[in-house]
Amino acid sequence: MWWNPFTFEEGQWYLWRFAGAEIAVCRTEETWQGFCKSLRWEKRDASCTGPLQEKPAVQTALQTNVLNAKTASLRPFLPEKPFLINLGGLKLYPGMKITLELEIPPALYLMAEKDGNTPEFIFNFVPFTLKETWHGKNSMEGFFCSSLPVNTGVPCNPAIHCSLTIRNRTKNAAELNAIPFYAGGLSVYEKDRKLISEAPVIDALENNFRMAVETADTEYGTMLTQGNKNDPNLIRRGTSALSDLGGGLQQGTRIIKNITGL
């Protein structure tokens, strides 16, 4: 699989092709070089190959790092920037739930593997890009998000599959519009050559909300990157008004306020 560690031969370029995007890395003694040819997520295809011993035809935005290591691996991470999911006013009636099957473009880190110790960071690659959009009350209050489509589109092996469940525990119908979703703290697993993340679950209650992360290591498969399910962007409990909340917490509660109208 593309995520397995291997030893980089001296002065040899290695090339990965991910659904139309490309990543290339070369090690010469302790000097590492790498670059990424990015692609719009909606233009991806289904092909994936690598790492191949092949010199890239074009080198753009070349990164350089110095590290005493010979063995490394690419690892998939969920981006820190929040996503914005547009559900167009979908109604969720009392007692009902909806599960969104999302395909998320990963960020890829090249990590040096050193005798069972904690891997060391070498490079950060962003092979896929999404349209950037603003979410907030107005042009002054809000934050930038990446617009994430709900439809899966082209099957793509590098995509991280995430099941996001929203449950309406209130006595009123809930309207789901544009939902900001923070995914950066979720762990990523590989099972049957497919990337899977932990599954967030949101309960919208009468006067508050609860957001948690379901984990089942044996079900998900082999962990590739460990997230932080205690990340304050992932787990929320409370009823405080937005004006009473700090920056990160304020952003995290908007996903619930859009659902319940609190």
Side-chain angles (χ1 to χ4, degrees):
M1 191 62 178
W2 303 285
W3 324 116
N4 293 335
F6 71 97
T7 299
F8 285 72
E9 294 183 11
E10 185 88 9
Q12 174 67 55
W13 278 97
Y14 291 85
L15 183 65
W16 290 263
R17 292 186 175 91
F18 289 117
E22 293 184 0
I23 289 174
V25 176
C26 179
R27 179 191 66 82
T28 303
E29 296 182 347
E30 296 183 5
T31 300
W32 292 78
Q33 292 182 304
F35 83 95
C36 179
K37 179 184 175 183
S38 299
L39 181 76
R40 294 285 296 187
W41 183 236
E42 65 271 17
K43 294 184 178 181
R44 68 193 185 278
D45 57 39
S47 63
C48 292
T49 59
L52 305 173
Q53 291 189 353
E54 179 180 341
K55 186 174 182 178
V58 179
Q59 300 177 26
T60 58
L62 193 66
Q63 300 183 60
T64 302
N65 198 356
V66 177
L67 187 68
N68 182 18
K70 296 181 180 180
T71 302
S73 62
L74 280 178
R75 296 197 179 192
F77 285 78
L78 284 157
E80 292 295 328
K81 180 191 284 187
F83 297 102
L84 192 67
I85 304 170
N86 188 356
L87 297 177
L90 180 67
K91 284 198 173 181
L92 197 62
Y93 292 95
M96 293 181 62
K97 70 177 180 179
I98 183 174
T99 298
L100 308 178
E101 299 294 342
L102 305 175
E103 282 195 352
I104 301 177
L108 297 178
Y109 292 7
L110 185 70
M111 308 292 291
E113 310 280 347
K114 303 184 76 173
D115 299 327
N117 296 324
T118 302
E120 293 187 52
F121 170 85
I122 305 176
F123 295 129
N124 177 17
F125 300 112
V126 182
F128 304 104
T129 58
L130 290 166
K131 180 181 178 182
E132 197 172 63
T133 186
W134 180 260
H135 180 73
K137 293 181 179 179
N138 51 52
S139 60
M140 299 298 292
E141 296 182 55
F143 49 97
F144 280 108
C145 300
S146 296
S147 183
L148 183 67
V150 175
N151 295 331
T152 56
V154 175
C156 178
N157 278 329
I160 299 175
H161 298 260
C162 176
S163 295
L164 170 63
T165 299
I166 303 168
R167 300 186 291 207
N168 186 0
R169 303 291 196 185
T170 74
K171 297 179 181 179
N172 303 303
E175 184 173 323
L176 284 69
N177 293 305
I179 298 177
F181 170 45
Y182 291 78
L186 299 176
S187 297
V188 179
Y189 302 79
E190 190 272 331
K191 185 176 183 180
D192 299 329
R193 301 178 67 85
K194 181 179 179 180
L195 296 178
I196 305 169
S197 79
E198 292 170 313
V201 178
I202 299 168
D203 284 329
L205 309 175
E206 290 293 345
N207 296 308
N208 61 8
F209 66 90
R210 180 173 61 249
M211 182 170 179
V213 178
E214 292 186 350
T215 45
D217 293 356
T218 55
E219 175 185 343
Y220 286 131
T222 303
M223 180 183 288
L224 296 178
T225 54
Q226 185 171 6
N228 176 15
K229 64 180 181 178
N230 295 317
D231 186 326
N233 278 326
L234 289 176
I235 299 177
R236 300 291 186 204
R237 291 178 176 83
T239 58
S240 299
L242 285 179
S243 59
D244 295 331
L245 302 175
L249 186 56
Q250 176 177 344
Q251 294 174 356
T253 57
R254 286 201 178 107
I255 184 169
I256 305 301
K257 290 178 68 64
N258 284 340
I259 297 169
T260 64
L262 294 176

